[in-house]
């Protein structure tokens, strides 16, 4: 401000001095004093003209100019322009920061595994992420600013949206839902801001399927246990109320023991399954010689065949073949249980005098293949995809009569998966079935001839 006053006074003084000197030299009629006063006035006027033009330049610059350009640097107007420029820079910086924060938020929403839709107070779509686009079939070009009710037309959603009661979420079919491949969404609206809504969607297909499987599983287990229990209590009541002769009594006790065994096998298979599901996958450093395992499987197969065919003089034709020195890395007990299930099934479902071939062979590419083929009744193709489901049976009566639990192939599938192996089922109705487990080369090795015959696991080591 002092500089401004000084420049104003300097202009006046300069003007006055110049006019005084000019009057003294030119001998005009006015006195030097009058000329000096006029000069002071002229100097002041000039100062105002210059100042006004600088202010006008500043105003022009503010209206249209490039704000990064320094229009003037000195004086009051220079300081004003400097401060304005600084304020603008600060604002620009703040805008950039809030833009980048907004982009970060949107990127986080975009990365969310859930669908996110932002709706304005009228229910029009302001923004949505890719997951929401997939859930509701939205298109970023076409559907922005459209009303959500026009795009998501499921009646459940429409009435939920218009109810204004958003305390709970609702379930609805997803865009890709078909009878063959159901897709279920859980959708929740959350009010925020000034009447706006945040729409969150989650794919709950797997969760609902798991729930349904869990319910089915409980129902199946209850059913499987209830049947033998009902038989057992029936016999107990009969024995309590009717005096029985020795042979009759023994027959009843035999049947009761059979039902007890059935429940025991069921519980044991259930425990095996839950152990398989709850434990970490087996490592690949414990090597199991397959020859000992095959010997044990063969012995068990002969006993089972003899037991099932006790009333006839016919037996199955069993043929076991194992590559010499072949070893598999994994959990011995699990592998024995899975392979025992396959051999047991072949014997149980193949009528006596049928043939059963069991092989454990090395493939040319280093993998190993355990296969069980039988000449039994075979399985119709429509059953094949469901065979490894728990409690799924094709032949209910044969399964129960021969002590089956409906869990055998589920155990085989689990054990195979845990060893990185593939279970394949080939079957032709009327001609027989082949069950194959193929182990990856990383879990297969063959011992040199000299080392064959060394430590082989005993029966106790094999059971799960
Ligand atoms: P289960 O204890 O009933 O044998 P599994 O899970 O082992 O249960 O087998 C499921 C169903 O697959 C069986 O009930 C049976 O109907 C069918 N199945 C399994 N193995 C054979 C086979 N070798 N031949 C024919 N059917 C088989």
């Amino acid at each position: 401000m002092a500089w401004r006053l000084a420049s104003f006074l300097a202009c006046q003084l300069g003007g006055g001095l110049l006019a005084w000197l000019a009057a003294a030299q030119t001998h005009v009629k006015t006195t030097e004093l009058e000329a000096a006063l006029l000069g002071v006035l002229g100097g002041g006027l000039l100062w105002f003209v210059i100042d006004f033009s600088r202010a006008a330049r500043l105003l022009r610059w503010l209206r249209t100019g490039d704000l990064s350009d320094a229009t003037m640097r000195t004086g009051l107007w220079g300081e004003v322009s400097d401060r304005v420029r600084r304020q603008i820079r600060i604002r620009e910086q703040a805008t950039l920061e809030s833009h980048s924060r907004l982009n970060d938020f949107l990127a986080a929403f975009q990365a969310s595994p859930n669908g996110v839709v932002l709706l304005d107070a009228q229910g029009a779509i302001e923004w949505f992420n890719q997951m929401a686009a997939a859930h509701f079939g939205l298109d970023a070009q076409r559907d922005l600013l459209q009303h959500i009710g026009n795009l998501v037309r499921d009646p459940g959603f429409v009435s939920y949206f218009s109810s204004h009661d958003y305390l709970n979420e609702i379930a609805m079919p997803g865009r890709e839902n078909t009878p063959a491949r159901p897709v279920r969404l859980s959708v929740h609206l959350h009010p925020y801001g000034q009447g706006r809504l945040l729409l969150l969607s989650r794919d709950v297909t797997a969760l609902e399927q798991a729930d349904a499987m869990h319910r089915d599983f409980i129902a199946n287990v209850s059913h499987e246990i209830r049947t033998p229990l009902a038989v057992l209590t029936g016999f107990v009541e009969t024995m309590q109320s009717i005096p029985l002769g020795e042979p009759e009594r023994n027959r009843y006790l035999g049947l009761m023991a059979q039902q007890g065994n059935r429940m025991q096998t069921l519980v044991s298979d259930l425990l095996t399954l839950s152990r398989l599901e709850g434990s970490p996958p087996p490592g690949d450093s414990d090597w199991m010689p397959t020859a000992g395992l095959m010997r044990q499987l063969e012995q068990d197969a002969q006993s089972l065949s003899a037991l099932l065919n006790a009333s006839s003089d016919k037996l199955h034709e069993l043929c076991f073949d194992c590559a010499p020195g072949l070893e598999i890395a994994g959990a011995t007990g699990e592998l024995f249980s899975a392979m025992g299930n396959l051999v047991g099934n072949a014997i149980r479902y193949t009528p006596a005098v049928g043939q059963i071939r069991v092989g454990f062979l090395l493939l040319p590419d280093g993998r190993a293949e355990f296969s069980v083929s039988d000449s039994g009744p075979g399985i119709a193709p429509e059953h094949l995809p469901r065979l490894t489901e728990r409690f799924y049976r094709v032949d209910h009566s044969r399964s129960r009569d021969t002590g089956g639990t409906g869990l055998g192939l589920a155990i085989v599938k689990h054990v195979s998966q845990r060893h990185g192996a593939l279970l394949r089922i080939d079957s032709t109705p009327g001609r027989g079935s082949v069950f194959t487990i193929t182990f990856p080369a990383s879990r297969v090795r063959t011992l040199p001839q000299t080392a064959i015959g060394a430590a082989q696991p005993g029966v106790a080591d094999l059971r799960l």
Side-chain angles (χ1 to χ4, degrees):
M1 226 39 194
W3 163 252
R4 201 167 155 72
L5 189 64
S7 69
F8 178 64
L9 290 177
C11 264
Q12 284 184 319
L13 206 65
L17 201 64
L18 278 175
W20 186 77
L21 281 175
Q25 279 176 11
T26 52
H27 306 292
V28 287
K29 280 182 191 160
T30 50
T31 65
E32 280 94 344
L33 191 63
E34 283 169 342
L37 276 176
L38 278 173
V40 166
L41 267 177
L45 197 65
L46 182 69
W47 186 90
F48 273 114
V49 169
I50 292 172
D51 195 58
F52 182 77
S53 81
R54 295 191 71 198
R57 233 173 87 203
L58 178 67
L59 194 64
R60 209 169 42 243
W61 172 73
L62 280 175
R63 278 190 191 137
T64 58
D66 173 8
L67 296 182
S68 62
D69 179 34
T71 178
M72 60 192 88
R73 297 221 175 268
T74 54
L76 179 81
W77 300 120
E79 192 180 331
V80 169
S81 82
D82 209 42
R83 280 176 190 270
V84 166
R85 202 176 317 113
R86 231 179 294 160
Q87 283 302 320
I88 288 171
R89 284 232 177 92
I90 290 170
R91 292 245 173 110
E92 274 178 354
Q93 192 65 31
T95 313
L96 274 178
E97 274 170 21
S98 63
H99 261 285
S100 106
R101 214 167 310 145
L102 179 68
N103 283 340
D104 285 349
F105 278 130
L106 293 182
F109 280 150
Q110 199 61 271
S112 161
N114 296 331
V116 181
V117 184
L118 304 182
L119 302 173
D120 69 10
Q122 279 69 46
I125 297 175
E126 288 190 315
W127 186 88
F128 56 84
N129 68 356
Q130 282 167 0
M131 199 49 84
H135 285 168
F136 301 113
L138 301 178
D139 183 304
Q141 305 288 325
R142 190 191 57 202
D143 297 332
L144 279 184
L145 301 179
Q146 296 284 325
H147 194 275
I148 187 77
N150 296 337
L151 299 167
V152 183
R153 291 175 168 276
D154 175 70
F157 177 79
V158 172
S159 68
Y160 174 59
F161 183 75
S162 50
S163 72
H164 298 284
D165 174 10
Y166 306 135
L167 214 59
N168 300 312
E169 55 192 27
I170 58 153
M172 59 173 271
R175 171 81 173 179
E176 313 267 274
N177 182 57
T178 59
R181 283 194 63 204
V183 178
R184 298 284 296 165
L185 296 180
S186 164
V187 174
H188 203 167
L189 281 162
H190 300 269
Y192 75 101
Q194 306 267 302
R196 288 161 184 267
L197 286 171
L198 172 71
L199 169 61
L200 295 180
S201 59
R202 202 156 44 97
D203 189 330
V204 289
T205 315
L207 213 66
E208 288 200 355
Q209 277 170 352
D211 269 355
M213 272 172 68
H214 186 70
R215 277 196 303 275
D216 288 353
F217 181 68
I218 303 276
N220 277 322
V221 171
S222 315
H223 176 75
E224 293 290 331
I225 289 182
R226 200 176 54 192
T227 315
L229 260 184
V231 178
L232 264 178
T233 36
F235 280 130
V236 170
E237 278 166 15
T238 312
M239 289 175 82
Q240 279 173 334
S241 53
I242 308 169
L244 297 171
E246 190 66 16
E248 195 77 328
R249 204 169 146 269
N250 284 344
R251 198 173 72 82
Y252 278 21
L253 285 174
L255 289 169
M256 287 165 75
Q258 209 178 22
Q259 297 305 322
N261 285 341
R262 194 173 144 190
M263 282 198 287
Q264 219 163 18
T265 322
L266 177 69
V267 170
S268 142
D269 275 2
L270 284 171
L271 285 175
T272 303
L273 261 180
S274 86
R275 252 199 309 265
L276 290 176
E277 280 171 354
S279 60
D284 51 8
S285 51
D286 293 337
W287 291 93
M288 174 197 72
T290 55
L293 175 117
M294 289 291 270
R295 258 199 307 281
Q296 189 58 50
L297 284 176
E298 190 169 0
Q299 276 175 27
D300 287 1
Q302 281 161 352
S303 313
L304 183 62
S305 174
L307 185 75
L308 291 176
N309 302 312
S311 53
S312 77
D313 55 350
K314 297 171 194 148
L315 281 181
H316 293 99
E317 186 188 320
L318 300 173
C319 174
F320 280 70
D321 182 17
C322 183
L326 182 65
E327 292 197 340
I328 296 290
T332 308
E334 289 184 23
L335 292 170
F336 181 69
S337 163
M339 292 165 185
N341 265 309
L342 291 183
V343 177
N345 278 355
I347 293 171
R348 286 166 44 229
Y349 293 104
T350 306
V353 306
Q355 290 147 13
I356 289 149
R357 295 182 180 281
V358 183
F360 214 146
L361 304 173
L362 185 67
L363 298 178
D365 60 4
R367 292 180 301 158
E369 198 175 80
F370 174 82
S371 66
V372 180
S373 63
D374 63 57
S375 58
I379 303 160
E382 66 268 23
H383 296 295
L384 293 180
R386 299 197 58 191
L387 275 192
T388 54
E389 285 176 21
R390 296 162 184 190
F391 298 111
Y392 189 83
R393 293 175 170 110
V394 181
D395 183 344
H396 283 258
S397 59
R398 178 109 187 117
S399 166
R400 292 220 171 84
D401 292 350
T402 55
T405 58
L407 296 173
L409 289 180
I411 292 175
V412 176
K413 188 178 123 192
H414 262 285
V415 172
S416 304
Q417 281 175 344
R418 285 162 61 80
H419 287 81
L422 268 179
L423 170 68
R424 207 179 66 234
I425 308 173
D426 301 297
S427 191
T428 315
R431 300 188 60 181
S433 315
V434 186
F435 291 78
T436 314
I437 303 177
T438 310
F439 292 91
S442 57
R443 284 189 177 268
V444 178
R445 74 176 184 191
T446 36
L447 288 185
Q449 283 294 326
T450 46
I452 298 176
Q456 282 176 353
V459 182
D461 300 325
L462 290 172
R463 309 274 178 215
L464 189 67

